[in-house]
């Protein structure tokens, strides 16, 4: 009853007295606030008043609390409150077995009533619809391609008739075969939930949830491989551009879907604008569709203007059908259908869809990229934000007046198209009310023509959508969207492999590569560089940059050309300048390392001036005019020095780590100037392509090789410290730390000057480490994030054991040395043992086999024996603690294999830390462990190293302390004494 009814019946309104000042808040807000409390606090709050008792005993509230705190597989205990209390080990304390729930008059809530209704409603009446999705049987591949693929949904019959799953995928049979198998559960939140299938079946029978948990497992083929034998990909969907990738490389693409009545998927567009097929084996599903760009009523699209990440806020599928669907006029209703067992539905690229399970259902689905949607997938993963909002929300993504601007240009598809910049950091595209969209016209033929209605004012044509792509935000230097289905490097690797393995599809692959990474621009740059140095023009095989690196790299017949773009011009010029300085020292001291580094053939600067490309050679010495005009010249540099060498680069990194929080560093001229380097091409293959083919003996040989070459690298002398390059920024740095309420550097007088910048940078990283780890999130345990500040030392000078040496001069127990920083599986080159001398003699002078691979990719090499020959890519060179070089090697190359780490150390033979005679001051015993030092570097690393650690050692996700993680991962270091 509402409050007026309560008063008429003589019962008083409990709300004012029970809630006090909180009565001004609506029930929806109060319930949202309660989700931030702990189970213990909720139990206490329930005793405050009758209304608080009702609010604090809501099942959806306890469901939310339970899923937030869950750490491990879930076992439902009959109610979410009991389940949460069981997880908190509170059952004995709060269980009331002899008492019934309390009931109160004088209080009503429409919000709580609707939620209760949705939790207990039945859906038998939802099975009837007008069937506006076409049903087809025996559709040929040609008919599908021309009539439906990329155009509209279709419901297909007969595709699963011969599958074993057609008869065996029923709950009882799956329970018999896979009852103890753990599957992944979908729920509205970022946390991953796991349940044994027998526990999930028990949950389905007992639950009365508004939005029930839903098995939506993309790893079902790994945990239950027998299920993969029960079905096959229908012939209409065999083309899949992701098939060039290994299973562990490709993004999630297939899912087992099991859910009870009322469960489902709310309104969404599939990731990367992929297409999908979904075959139902048991039960009935209700589907609804809107064409691309037509945001459903009740949904809101968020587009982050910094990286283009797209998020959708939408009610649950059940709530949408109950609360929003009845508000729609007939011509505004979606295209819809009820899917029956044995039927397969096709969802085209970019189409909005919503699914509601009318009863317990079992289905399998796969997403794919083919020639029809490949360009859309590349566009969706391209950097920037404008085009992503338009791809998902259509013209609704544009601000005031932009509808008219877009309408004027809808048939003028050229590069001059533009519209006003959006200024909000988080761009929202709200749905319009039914029937009031731009250029919307009421249709007279009903739902059969609904998929065309939105296209009256919005074209889902790749040429139209690409008009909104910001060409200056290239794939290499612009922030990558965390919502993309592939990582930045994985995307580049995928395009490279497609170029090699699908030569017949190169026309469409090239179009996609131009959208995703500006391949046409980089090819033009490559041609200018080749012409300047009298190199052959790139062939068709060489048109696409290769590999997974951070800059465009081209493998020509005898040369490798790298164009520096990552981080903008300033970072690029320091990258090349440091690399050239390093090569000069390497040759000057005749280090044996030079035999395992590709020869530098040329280097220079490419730039645009008055619309034309120009090239100037540059060996790293002096400052080219084009760079000087960009106001990037370091002060106090001499002509015969390397002005953009390693100490200048350290200054730049120092400014980024410290001053950037107060002053933005804007790269000057970053869109028209590109440094480049040309090296001799290595024959053979990179380790990333050979990892799974190498014998254990060859892998041990690789570990020894890396130890030997890292020894050579860390023994290499570095340029003397240049005090003058820091004199001009020292006051600013001190002020920055002061304004941050943080000491400049503890015990500064004790720190040798060449180590000061290293320690300052570590301290700056520590300041916001918990924020950074929280942003990275899963799989880093939340309990460890809370303890990270107390684990990391306050004084890194003590951790490095700064001590007073001879003549009162301060020293560090280890040398400050060159560090590569990026020795990963794609920066190690290997040759066939039959074609090179490998580890013995000069690898450069060995007779090298002709590599039969194209750009390094082919299926050859199986059964061969390989040995390492070269280390590549020195643009990330730095100076600091040599132990930092272990991090990428151990996790990316060795994948956490401690026997390989031990083999590496036996070949390395240098001490990582020569401890002084006195006991370590920082943390006592802890500060004297090499494992502790290495773990601190992992935590403070700019890359998500912890994600790799908790991915390799899954058992550490339940670790109670950082010491537990440290010793599991790095204990081998504590056994290493080094050699004199």
């Amino acid at each position: 009853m509402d409050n007026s009814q309560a008063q008429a019946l003589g019962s008083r309104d409990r709300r004012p007295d029970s809630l006090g000042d909180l009565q001004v808040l609506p029930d929806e807000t109060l319930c949202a606030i309660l989700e931030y409390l702990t189970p213990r606090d909720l139990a206490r709050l329930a005793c405050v008043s009758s209304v608080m008792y009702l609010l604090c005993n809501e099942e959806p509230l306890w469901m939310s609390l339970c899923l937030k705190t869950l750490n491990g597989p879930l076992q439902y205990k009959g109610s979410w409150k009991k389940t949460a209390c069981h997880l908190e080990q509170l059952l004995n304390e709060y269980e009331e077995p002899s008492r019934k729930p309390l009931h109160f008059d004088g209080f009503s809530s429409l919000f709580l009533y609707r939620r209760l209704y949705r939790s207990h409603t039945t859906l038998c009446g939802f099975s009837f619809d007008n069937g506006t999705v076409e049903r087809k049987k025996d559709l040929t591949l040609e008919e599908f391609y021309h009539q439906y693929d990329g155009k509209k949904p279709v419901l297909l019959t007969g595709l699963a008739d011969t599958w074993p799953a057609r008869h065996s995928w029923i709950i009882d049979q799956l329970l018999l075969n896979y009852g103890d198998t753990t599957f992944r559960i979908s729920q509205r939140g970022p946390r991953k939930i796991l349940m044994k299938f027998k526990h999930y079946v028990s949950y389905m029978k007992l639950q009365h949830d508004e939005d029930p948990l839903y098995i939506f497992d993309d790893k079902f083929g790994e945990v239950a491989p027998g299920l993969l034998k029960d079905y096959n990909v229908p012939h209409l969907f065999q083309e899949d551009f992701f098939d060039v990738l290994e299973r562990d490389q490709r993004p999630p693409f297939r899912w087992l879907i099991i859910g009870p009545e009322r469960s489902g998927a709310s309104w969404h567009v599939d990731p990367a604008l992929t297409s999908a097929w979904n075959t139902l084996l048991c039960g009935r599903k209700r589907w609804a569709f809107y064409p691309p760009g037509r945001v459903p009523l009740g949904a809101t699209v968020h587009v982050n203007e910094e990286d283009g990440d797209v998020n959708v806020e939408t009610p649950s599928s059940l709530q949408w059908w109950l609360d929003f669907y009845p508000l729609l006029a007939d011509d505004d209703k979606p295209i819809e259908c009820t899917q029956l067992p044995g039927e397969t539905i096709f969802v085209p690229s970019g189409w909005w869809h919503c699914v509601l399970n009318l009863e317990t259902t079992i289905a399998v689905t796969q997403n794919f990229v083919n020639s029809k949607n490949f360009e859309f997938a590349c566009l969706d993963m391209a950097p920037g934000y404008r085009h992503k909002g338009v791809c998902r929300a259509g013209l609704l993504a544009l601000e005031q007046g932009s509808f008219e601007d877009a309408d004027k240009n809808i048939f003028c598809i050229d590069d001059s198209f533009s519209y006003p910049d959006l200024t909000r950091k988080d761009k929202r595209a709200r749905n319009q009310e039914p029937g009031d969209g731009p250029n919307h016209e009421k249709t007279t033929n009903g739902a059969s023509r609904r998929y065309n209605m939105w296209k009256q004012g919005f074209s889902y044509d790749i040429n139209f959508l690409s008009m909104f792509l910001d060409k200056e935000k290239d794939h290499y230097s612009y922030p990558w969207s965390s919502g993309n289905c592939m990582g930045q490097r994985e995307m580049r690797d995928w395009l490279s492999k497609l170029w090699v393995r699908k030569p017949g599809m190169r026309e469409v692959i090239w179009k996609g590569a131009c959208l995703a990474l500006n391949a046409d621009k980089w090819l033009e740059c490559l041609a200018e560089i080749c012409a300047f140095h009298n190199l052959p023009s790139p062939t068709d095989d060489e048109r696409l940059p290769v590999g997974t690196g951070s800059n465009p790299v081209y493998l020509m017949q005898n040369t490798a050309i790298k164009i520096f773009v990552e981080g903008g011009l300033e970072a690029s010029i320091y990258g090349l300048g440091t690399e050239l300085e390093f090569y000069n020292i390497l040759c000057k001291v005749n280090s044996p390392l030079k035999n395992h580094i590709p020869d530098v053939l040329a280097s220079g600067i490419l730039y645009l001036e008055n619309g034309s490309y120009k090239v100037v050679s540059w060996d790293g010495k002096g400052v080219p005019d084009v760079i000087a005009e960009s106001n990037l010249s370091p002060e106090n540099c001499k002509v015969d020095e390397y002005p953009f060498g390693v100490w200048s680069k350290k200054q730049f990194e120092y400014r980024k780590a410290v001053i950037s929080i107060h002053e933005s560093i804007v790269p000057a001229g970053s869109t028209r100037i590109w440094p480049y380097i040309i090296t001799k091409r290595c024959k053979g293959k990179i380790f990333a392509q050979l990892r799974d083919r190498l014998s254990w003996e060859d892998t041990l040989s690789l570990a020894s090789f890396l130890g030997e070459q890292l020894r050579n690298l860390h023994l290499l002398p570095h340029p003397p410290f240049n005090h003058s390059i820091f004199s001009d920024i020292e006051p600013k740095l001190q002020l920055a730390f002061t304004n941050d309420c943080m000491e400049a550097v503890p015990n500064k007088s004790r720190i040798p000057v060449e180590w000061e910048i290293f320690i300052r940078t570590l301290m700056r990283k520590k300041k916001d480490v918990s924020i950074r780890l929280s942003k990275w999130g899963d799989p880093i345990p939340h309990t460890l994030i809370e303890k990270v500040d107390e684990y990391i030392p306050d004084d890194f000078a003590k951790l490095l054991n700064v001590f007073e040496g001879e003549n009162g001069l301060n020293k560090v127990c280890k040398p400050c040395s060159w560090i590569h920083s990026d020795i990963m599986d794609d920066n190690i080159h290997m040759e066939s043992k039959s074609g090179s001398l490998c580890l013995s003699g000069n690898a450069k002078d060995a007779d090298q086999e002709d590599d039969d691979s194209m750009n390094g990719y082919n299926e050859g090499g199986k059964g061969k024996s390989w040995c390492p020959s070269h280390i590549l890519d020195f643009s990330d060179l730095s100076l600091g603690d040599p132990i930092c070089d272990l991090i990428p090697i151990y996790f990316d190359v060795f994948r956490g294999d401690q026997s390989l780490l031990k083999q590496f150390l036996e070949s390395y033979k240098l001490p990582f830390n020569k401890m002084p005679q006195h006991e370590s001051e920082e943390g006592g015993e802890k500060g004297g462990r090499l494992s502790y030092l290495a773990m601190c570097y992992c935590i403070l690393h700019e890359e998500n190293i912890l994600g790799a650690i908790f991915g390799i050692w899954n058992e550490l996700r339940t670790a109670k302390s950082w010491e537990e993680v440290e010793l599991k991962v790095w204990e081998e270091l504590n056994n290493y004494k080094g050699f004199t």
Side-chain angles (χ1 to χ4, degrees):
M1 67 182 72
D2 59 27
N3 292 332
S4 60
Q5 290 175 318
Q7 292 174 0
L9 294 176
S11 58
R12 63 187 178 86
D13 181 8
R14 293 179 176 270
R15 186 181 177 88
D17 292 339
S18 294
L19 295 180
D21 292 341
L22 294 179
Q23 66 179 301
V24 298
L25 299 177
D27 294 339
E28 184 175 3
T29 303
L30 286 172
C31 289
I33 293 174
L34 293 178
E35 291 186 11
Y36 289 93
L37 301 183
T38 66
R40 289 179 181 271
D41 290 337
L42 274 179
R44 296 186 182 100
L45 188 60
C47 301
V48 169
S49 67
S50 57
V51 174
M52 275 300 180
Y53 174 86
L54 295 172
L55 295 176
C56 291
N57 280 281
E58 265 262 293
E59 272 289 273
L61 169 62
W62 285 95
M63 179 182 186
S64 176
L65 288 176
C66 181
L67 298 182
K68 283 181 180 179
T69 58
L70 184 66
N71 191 8
L74 172 66
Q75 187 173 354
Y76 186 68
K77 296 296 182 179
S79 76
W80 284 110
K81 183 176 181 180
K82 289 182 179 179
T83 305
C85 290
H86 176 79
L87 293 173
E88 295 286 332
Q89 299 180 342
L90 299 176
L91 275 181
N92 293 334
E93 187 173 349
Y94 289 103
E95 193 172 29
E96 304 174 40
S98 61
R99 294 184 57 184
K100 295 181 179 180
L102 300 178
H103 297 276
F104 303 98
D105 57 8
F107 174 76
S108 63
S109 169
L110 185 58
F111 168 74
L112 297 182
Y113 171 76
R114 285 176 173 171
R115 197 149 73 172
L116 182 67
Y117 173 81
R118 290 193 293 267
S119 298
H120 292 270
T121 190
T122 59
L123 303 180
C124 56
F126 275 68
S127 60
F128 302 101
D129 57 63
N130 295 327
T132 51
V133 174
E134 296 181 50
R135 271 184 166 85
K136 292 290 182 179
K137 183 178 177 63
D138 299 327
L139 198 64
T140 67
L141 183 60
E142 184 177 4
E143 289 172 332
F144 170 72
Y145 183 84
H146 290 291
Q147 297 178 29
Y148 301 101
D149 195 3
K151 294 181 173 64
K152 56 183 176 180
V154 61
L155 196 56
L156 304 163
T157 60
L159 296 182
D161 288 350
T162 61
W163 292 3
R166 186 68 183 86
H167 308 285
S168 63
W169 283 25
I170 55 177
I171 294 296
D172 291 343
Q173 187 65 40
L174 293 179
L175 188 61
L176 180 65
N177 296 333
Y178 302 101
D180 288 317
T181 302
T182 300
F183 292 105
R184 297 186 178 198
I185 305 298
S186 174
Q187 50 94 25
R188 296 170 73 87
R191 293 179 60 83
K192 295 178 181 177
I193 306 299
L194 300 175
M195 290 185 78
K196 287 187 176 181
F197 187 65
K198 61 183 179 182
H199 294 154
Y200 181 74
V201 172
S202 175
Y203 160 79
M204 285 199 299
K205 294 177 180 178
L206 296 173
Q207 61 82 30
H208 277 287
D209 292 333
E210 173 189 358
D211 191 12
L213 298 182
Y214 198 17
I215 289 183
F216 196 76
D217 193 344
D218 64 304
K219 301 293 185 181
F220 76 94
E222 285 78 357
V223 299
L227 294 175
L228 296 178
K229 301 176 183 178
D230 292 340
Y231 78 96
N232 53 65
V233 178
H235 70 284
L236 299 178
F237 316 117
Q238 290 284 338
E239 183 184 47
D240 188 355
F241 279 20
F242 281 134
D243 60 11
V244 300
L245 299 175
E246 300 295 333
R247 175 66 184 92
D248 60 347
Q249 292 178 316
R250 66 181 298 169
F253 70 104
R254 64 186 177 206
W255 289 265
L256 172 69
I257 307 175
I258 303 177
E261 181 184 27
R262 297 188 311 278
S263 63
S266 56
W267 282 107
H268 67 284
V269 175
D270 282 347
L273 301 183
T274 53
S275 298
W277 59 268
N278 180 301
T279 299
L280 184 63
L281 285 311
C282 175
R284 293 174 298 158
K285 289 178 180 282
R286 181 154 175 163
W287 290 77
F289 299 91
Y290 280 113
R294 173 65 162 94
V295 181
L297 181 68
T300 301
V301 180
H302 299 259
V303 185
N304 187 299
E305 72 174 43
E306 293 180 351
D307 62 9
D309 201 18
V310 177
N311 293 298
V312 179
E313 286 185 4
T314 179
S316 68
S317 55
L318 175 62
Q319 184 179 358
W320 186 85
W321 250 293
L322 290 177
D323 296 348
F324 291 87
Y325 183 83
L327 303 179
L328 299 173
D330 286 344
D331 287 339
D332 292 313
K333 287 181 179 178
I335 304 169
E336 50 191 314
C337 67
T338 298
Q339 183 185 20
L340 304 178
E343 294 183 327
T344 300
I345 198 158
F346 167 68
V347 183
S349 172
W351 277 69
W352 287 86
H353 51 287
C354 176
V355 190
L356 180 63
N357 290 317
L358 305 179
E359 54 197 37
T360 298
T361 62
I362 303 174
V364 63
T365 184
Q366 290 196 185
N367 285 63
F368 61 92
V369 172
N370 62 8
S371 52
K372 278 281 189 176
N373 62 15
F374 173 71
E375 291 178 68
F376 291 92
C378 290
L379 177 67
D380 188 73
M381 287 189 278
Y385 72 94
R386 299 173 179 175
H387 63 286
K388 296 198 177 189
V390 176
C391 285
R392 302 300 177 97
L395 300 182
L396 292 174
L398 306 184
E399 288 280 5
Q400 307 167 356
S402 296
F403 288 122
E404 291 76 10
D405 294 339
D407 188 50
K408 294 175 183 176
N409 290 275
I410 197 167
F411 299 110
C412 303
I413 301 175
D414 56 44
D415 290 338
S416 64
F417 182 86
S418 63
Y419 60 92
D421 288 343
L422 308 184
T423 57
R424 287 187 292 183
K425 288 294 181 185
D426 191 10
K427 175 73 182 70
R428 289 192 175 195
R430 294 180 175 83
N431 55 278
Q432 82 272 11
E433 292 301 319
D436 68 354
N439 301 314
H440 175 74
E441 296 178 4
K442 296 288 183 180
T443 58
T444 57
N445 294 336
S448 62
R449 293 179 55 193
R450 287 175 193 152
Y451 77 93
N452 279 322
M453 68 181 182
W454 191 242
K455 293 187 179 181
Q456 300 296 321
F458 176 74
S459 172
Y460 212 67
D461 173 82
I462 192 66
N463 294 318
F464 174 80
L465 295 175
S466 63
M467 293 190 303
F468 299 88
L469 183 64
D470 189 340
K471 299 293 186 181
E472 297 301 327
K473 294 176 179 176
D474 67 75
H475 204 104
Y476 287 89
S477 60
Y478 198 71
W480 190 249
S481 172
S482 59
N484 284 351
C485 71
M486 299 181 75
Q488 199 167 11
R489 298 188 174 203
E490 290 78 7
M491 176 69 174
R492 294 194 279 268
D493 185 43
W494 180 46
L495 293 174
S496 298
K497 289 179 178 178
L498 282 174
W499 190 255
V500 173
R501 299 183 185 181
K502 294 185 181 291
M505 302 298 298
R506 282 188 175 176
E507 182 178 355
V508 67
I509 295 170
W510 178 254
K511 291 179 180 179
C514 290
L515 291 170
L517 51 81
N518 294 349
D520 46 354
K521 180 182 80 172
W522 300 123
L523 180 62
E524 191 175 0
C525 293
L526 175 67
E528 294 291 338
I529 294 171
C530 290
F532 181 82
H533 292 282
N534 296 316
L535 297 174
S537 299
T539 66
D540 187 60
D541 291 338
E542 300 164 347
R543 290 173 65 194
L544 206 63
V546 302
T548 60
S550 302
N551 299 286
V553 175
Y554 292 88
L555 296 182
M556 314 290 281
Q557 183 176 0
N558 298 309
T559 60
I561 300 177
K562 178 169 66 176
I563 304 172
F564 291 78
V565 300
E566 186 185 24
L569 174 60
E570 192 168 10
S572 297
I573 199 70
Y574 283 118
L576 177 57
T578 299
E579 192 167 359
L580 295 175
E581 181 182 38
F582 170 77
Y583 289 141
N584 178 67
I585 294 176
L586 194 68
C587 296
K588 186 180 295 184
V589 301
N590 198 28
S591 169
L593 179 61
K594 69 182 178 66
N595 298 324
H596 301 284
I597 295 177
D599 288 330
V600 177
L601 304 179
S603 56
I605 309 291
L606 170 73
Y607 61 99
L608 265 174
E609 186 175 82
N610 299 324
S612 300
Y613 284 103
K614 295 186 178 181
V615 180
V616 294
S617 294
W618 185 53
D619 62 0
K621 295 182 178 180
V623 181
D625 291 341
V626 65
I627 299 300
E629 293 170 0
S630 297
N631 298 319
L632 292 179
S633 303
E635 297 182 9
N636 306 318
C637 66
K638 299 179 181 178
V639 176
D640 59 345
E641 290 181 340
Y642 286 84
F644 297 95
V646 67
W647 285 117
S648 294
K649 182 180 182 181
K650 294 298 293 182
Q651 176 198 21
F652 171 65
E653 294 173 349
Y654 191 9
R655 285 191 289 123
K656 285 202 304 180
V658 182
I659 297 183
S660 59
I661 61 174
H662 303 284
E663 305 172 12
S664 60
I665 300 178
V666 181
S670 57
T671 60
R672 65 177 187 90
I673 305 174
W674 305 276
Y676 67 88
I677 189 171
I678 304 174
T679 59
K680 185 177 180 180
R681 180 179 178 181
C682 301
K683 301 297 181 180
K685 297 177 181 295
I686 60 173
F687 171 65
Q689 300 160 359
L690 298 170
R691 177 190 293 275
D692 297 331
R693 310 177 198 176
L694 294 183
S695 66
W696 180 244
E697 291 76 14
D698 287 349
T699 307
L700 286 174
S701 176
L702 169 63
S704 296
F705 169 82
L706 292 176
E708 180 181 346
Q709 301 316 317
L710 260 292
R711 169 188 171 91
N712 292 331
L713 173 63
H714 296 161
L715 287 174
L716 192 69
H718 57 73
F721 183 81
N722 187 346
H723 294 264
S724 63
I725 65 174
F726 291 103
S727 60
D728 60 327
I729 66 166
E730 181 67 21
K732 294 182 179 179
L733 295 172
Q734 293 287 356
L735 178 62
F737 275 114
T738 302
N739 290 342
D740 251 1
C741 301
M742 181 176 179
E743 292 183 64
V745 176
N747 304 303
K748 177 183 174 184
S749 61
R750 298 178 52 216
I751 301 174
V753 67
E754 67 270 17
W755 280 100
E756 182 177 343
I757 187 173
F758 181 78
I759 294 175
R760 282 182 180 271
T761 304
L762 289 176
M763 294 183 62
R764 175 61 188 95
K765 290 180 178 179
K766 179 189 175 178
K767 185 177 184 301
D768 60 359
V769 61
S770 58
I771 297 175
R772 186 168 68 254
L773 299 192
S774 297
K775 183 178 180 181
W776 283 336
D778 189 77
I780 307 172
H782 180 71
T783 54
L784 293 185
I785 296 177
E786 294 176 340
K787 301 176 181 179
V788 69
D789 287 309
E790 64 186 59
Y791 176 78
I792 299 176
D794 293 324
D795 188 346
F796 285 96
K798 292 180 179 179
L799 186 63
L800 291 172
N801 292 300
V802 179
F803 64 98
E804 186 174 322
E806 299 175 1
N807 302 322
L809 297 177
N810 296 324
K811 293 184 178 180
V812 176
C813 62
K814 64 181 72 181
C816 183
S817 66
W818 288 97
I819 52 178
H820 184 284
S821 305
D822 192 30
I823 298 183
M824 301 175 72
D825 61 3
D826 55 350
N827 282 334
I828 302 169
H829 218 276
M830 307 190 75
E831 297 178 4
S832 170
K833 285 186 177 179
S834 62
S836 76
L837 299 180
C838 292
L839 298 179
S840 60
N842 189 333
K844 287 184 173 183
D845 297 331
D847 293 328
Q848 298 171 326
E849 69 171 2
D850 290 332
D851 185 18
D852 59 349
S853 67
M854 183 166 51
N855 286 350
Y857 292 107
N858 73 355
E859 294 301 328
K862 294 182 179 179
K864 291 183 179 180
S865 184
W866 298 80
C867 66
S869 59
H870 292 83
I871 295 176
L872 310 177
D873 189 9
F874 285 78
S875 59
D876 288 323
L877 278 168
S878 186
L879 290 175
D881 190 340
I883 205 172
C884 293
D885 261 337
L886 278 185
I887 294 175
I889 291 176
Y890 185 33
F891 299 124
D892 188 73
V893 181
F894 297 164
R895 300 284 172 87
D897 191 314
Q898 295 200 4
S899 60
L900 293 177
L901 176 62
K902 184 176 180 180
Q903 183 78 11
F904 168 92
L905 294 172
E906 289 177 358
S907 178
Y908 181 69
K909 298 181 181 179
L910 288 178
F912 277 116
N913 195 357
K914 183 179 179 182
M915 297 294 291
Q917 295 300 316
H918 61 83
E919 184 182 5
S920 171
E921 297 179 39
E922 175 65 36
E925 180 185 354
K926 180 172 69 172
R929 296 195 304 258
L930 279 178
S931 60
Y932 175 62
L933 184 61
M935 194 67 222
C936 288
Y937 289 154
C938 290
I939 295 173
L940 296 175
H941 205 282
E942 59 271 13
E943 301 291 339
N944 187 6
I945 300 300
L946 297 179
I949 289 177
F950 292 106
I952 295 172
W953 291 277
N954 289 322
E955 66 273 19
L956 290 178
R957 300 184 186 189
T958 58
K960 303 300 182 183
S961 68
W962 283 108
E963 285 80 4
E964 182 181 345
V965 179
E966 168 204 328
L967 294 177
K968 176 68 176 180
V969 175
W970 290 110
E971 188 172 16
E972 185 61 41
L973 272 185
N974 296 329
N975 301 324
Y976 176 67
K977 304 304 180 183
F979 299 85
T980 57

